[in-house]
Amino acid sequence: MVYLEGAKGGPAGDKPVVVDQKGCEYLPYINSAQVKQTIRVLNSDPAMHNVHPTPTVDGNKEQNKAQLPKGAPLEFTFDKAEKFLRFKCDVHPWMFSYVSIFEHGFHAVSGKDGSFTVQVQLDKSLCRANGSFDMTKFWVEPD
């Protein structure tokens, strides 16, 4: 997970972020979204799950919804930025994933090789004298 430190604005998160329950796992394990962007949770499994986001930031509502096998998608939004908001399944306690919620659009989940893309129309006040800027990496998932 990478993000631009101190950023504001950026590209709008107008498409839903999708998390799927497949093989009794949440996929992807790590994801990111913007404040008030829809997070759509699917259940591709032949088993019932529940979707239980457990925010720790005041203003983000905890919810707990059952989802039938291959049932209709469930949708969630959050009003405040929060790093690593945990989604879990209480039916299968080994199932969980994290979605980091940002106030801006300058964030990405890196690939297995560490590559990532962030679309930047940068406010020059965020740049250093040499024109570079600070990207902060705050998660490394070992292979």
Side-chain angles (χ1 to χ4, degrees), residues 31-45:
N31 216 327
S32 64
Q34 282 180 259
V35 167
K36 299 187 183 201
Q37 183 176 6
T38 299
I39 300 166
R40 182 173 293 147
V41 181
L42 310 176
N43 183 1
S44 294
D45 277 339

Side-chain angles (χ1 to χ4, degrees), residues 9-125:
D14 53 356
K15 294 181 183 176
V17 170
V18 177
V19 177
D20 196 358
Q21 297 167 107
K22 197 171 194 175
C24 281
E25 291 184 90
Y26 277 104
L27 301 172
Y29 179 61
I30 302 292
N31 216 327
S32 64
Q34 282 180 259
V35 167
K36 299 187 183 201
Q37 183 176 6
T38 299
I39 300 166
R40 182 173 293 147
V41 181
L42 310 176
N43 183 1
S44 294
D45 277 339
M48 186 189 94
H49 295 295
N50 74 305
V51 183
H52 186 179
T54 57
T56 59
V57 171
D58 287 340
N60 285 340
K61 182 180 173 189
E62 182 172 358
Q63 300 173 63
N64 193 347
K65 299 179 180 181
Q67 193 171 35
L68 296 173
K70 300 186 187 274
L74 298 175
E75 294 187 344
F76 302 86
T77 59
F78 297 93
D79 293 334
K80 304 282 182 168
E82 180 167 345
K83 292 179 184 141
F84 297 106
L85 193 155
R86 185 176 185 189
F87 281 70
K88 66 178 187 165
C89 174
D90 297 314
V91 177
H92 305 99
W94 61 87
M95 287 180 64
F96 58 92
S97 71
Y98 297 95
V99 179
S100 288
I101 312 296
F102 294 94
E103 292 180 1
H104 58 77
F106 303 114
H107 52 86
V109 177
S110 62
K112 288 185 179 186
D113 64 355
S115 64
F116 64 92
T117 301
V118 175
Q119 298 296 324
V120 178
Q121 293 179 349
L122 195 58
D123 177 343
K124 292 189 183 211
S125 69

